[in-house]
Amino acid sequence: MKILIVDDFSTMRRIIKNLLRDLGFTNTHEADDGLTGLPMLQNGNFDFLITDWNMPGMQGIDLLKAVRADPKLASLPVLMVTAESKREQIVEAAQAGVNGYVVKPFTAGTLKEKIDKIFERVAA
Amino acid sequence: MSQVQPQTNHQLDLARDIVASLEAGDEQGAANLIVQLAGARDSILFQEVGRITRELHDAMNSFLSDAKFQDMAENQFRDAAERLQFVIETTEQAANTTMDAVETAMPLADKIHDDAERLSQQWERFQSRQLGVEDFRELTAELSDFLQQLQGDTSSLQGKMSDVLMAQGFQDITGQIIKKVITLVQDVEQRLIQLIRISGQNSEKDSVKTDRIAKEMGPAVPGVEHGNVVSGQDDVDDLLSSLGF
């Protein structure tokens, strides 16, 4: 399972990376915004994308839309992990085709639950 | 208002005179009076513009001659930006120190756990007399190694714990720095409010607009109005399930 973590804060990337490792996912890669993340996704055969929303360069929501618009990436499961907590934003992300939405601050349990749920649904 | 009242009376007088002139058939006289009336209207406007300009000018001057404000513009803002940058660096450093410690401690804890599990299985076998002499000799050697290693491992765990503890010291420093910046921002806010009051309504609307844009992104802060915000992960889950997730 190859996972891309996109967040502009290196500490948050590190936290997510550590949590994923505890969950048994060791093949993780990092990008600091959508602009660097998108080309990695296009060339990297990733199985899963975890992205923040508010980032310089290209925002997470735009990355999500770009992923859904790219025929090769359209079915990639995307989990948004973000401090953005407005209802309209969550609705926007859902409409853009996000597979899960975790608000920061979050617990290891929440992240695991959402990831499990996404893979259950993908497998079904 | 005290200026306006006599002006209004004056205008009323002029208006009556215009009517009287027109009734008397004095068209030229009426035309002159109408020009006077318009002039009076203009002069009120000019007086008002003049007053606002003077107040604005005075306020600007008092800002400029205010040493504290000048210091604010020249030094304190740059200073505040540097301070906040320092807050970012300090918190990042603390987060990394903590994670370094955790990343070193985790495998140690895992190793202790695995060794203890393995040895306790052997020990159970010994207690139920399933262990041969050779195996028992091996077990005692392993136990002795384990206990020795345990001392070293737990003291490095203690070391890592204390690293984590010490790394939390950032809160004190960053708290003080942020408090100072808050004071500066509040000070500037007060002065800007004065300026906005003088310069009138339009700027108020603009400030509301920029306010909204500035609040658009970023984490919700308790006590600050952010619009329609979810209260936590459960709320997010409810909203998403209402959307068919």
Side-chain angles (χ1 to χ4, degrees), chain B residues 194-205:
Chain B
Q194 280 176 20
L195 206 59
I196 286 164
R197 275 204 192 113
I198 296 165
S199 65
Q201 298 292 312
N202 290 336
S203 358
E204 226 165 81
K205 277 179 207 145

Side-chain angles (χ1 to χ4, degrees), chain B residues 7-59:
Chain B
Q7 281 287 359
T8 315
N9 288 336
H10 179 57
Q11 284 174 330
L12 269 173
D13 289 343
L14 276 172
R16 284 193 198 100
D17 290 347
I18 292 169
V19 174
S21 304
L22 285 175
E23 278 171 353
D26 179 8
E27 277 183 27
Q28 184 57 44
N32 286 341
L33 287 168
I34 288 169
V35 171
Q36 264 190 54
L37 187 61
R41 176 83 191 82
D42 285 349
S43 90
I44 297 175
L45 194 66
F46 284 135
Q47 272 175 27
E48 196 60 14
V49 170
R51 189 181 59 78
I52 293 170
T53 310
R54 207 162 37 246
E55 277 182 20
L56 201 56
H57 179 74
D58 289 350

Side-chain angles (χ1 to χ4, degrees), chain B residues 184-243:
Chain B
L184 173 69
V185 170
Q186 282 171 339
D187 215 356
V188 174
E189 186 189 22
Q190 283 309 312
R191 281 152 200 269
L192 287 179
I193 286 172
Q194 280 176 20
L195 206 59
I196 286 164
R197 275 204 192 113
I198 296 165
S199 65
Q201 298 292 312
N202 290 336
S203 358
E204 226 165 81
K205 277 179 207 145
D206 285 349
S207 81
V208 169
K209 206 163 115 196
T210 35
D211 225 25
R212 196 182 59 76
I213 292 164
K215 273 184 192 162
E216 203 108 296
M217 296 301 284
V221 180
V224 177
E225 179 54 40
H226 290 278
N228 198 359
V229 165
V230 293
S231 63
Q233 188 62 42
D234 288 344
D235 223 0
V236 176
D237 295 346
D238 288 347
L239 178 59
L240 286 178
S241 69
S242 77
L243 294 168

Side-chain angles (χ1 to χ4, degrees), chain B residues 32-140:
Chain B
N32 286 341
L33 287 168
I34 288 169
V35 171
Q36 264 190 54
L37 187 61
R41 176 83 191 82
D42 285 349
S43 90
I44 297 175
L45 194 66
F46 284 135
Q47 272 175 27
E48 196 60 14
V49 170
R51 189 181 59 78
I52 293 170
T53 310
R54 207 162 37 246
E55 277 182 20
L56 201 56
H57 179 74
D58 289 350
M60 296 294 275
N61 268 347
S62 77
F63 277 129
L64 291 176
S65 58
D66 185 340
K68 197 177 170 205
F69 190 75
Q70 221 163 8
D71 178 47
M72 236 180 225
E74 283 169 12
N75 305 315
Q76 290 190 39
F77 274 115
R78 193 164 6 111
D79 205 42
E82 275 165 26
R83 281 167 196 273
L84 291 179
Q85 189 58 44
F86 180 71
V87 169
I88 295 178
E89 282 159 21
T90 313
T91 49
E92 185 179 342
Q93 205 178 17
N96 281 323
T97 307
T98 305
M99 283 189 280
D100 282 342
V102 171
E103 281 173 15
T104 326
M106 287 285 219
L108 269 183
D110 286 348
K111 185 171 84 82
I112 294 170
H113 175 265
D114 293 349
D115 286 350
E117 197 173 41
R118 190 171 44 79
L119 286 170
S120 105
Q121 278 166 6
Q122 288 290 88
W123 186 251
E124 265 171 38
R125 285 186 61 207
F126 164 71
Q127 281 184 318
S128 54
R129 298 173 205 283
Q130 292 174 342
L131 225 52
V133 180
E134 216 28 62
D135 286 341
F136 179 70
R137 200 167 289 153
E138 210 174 285
L139 175 60
T140 52

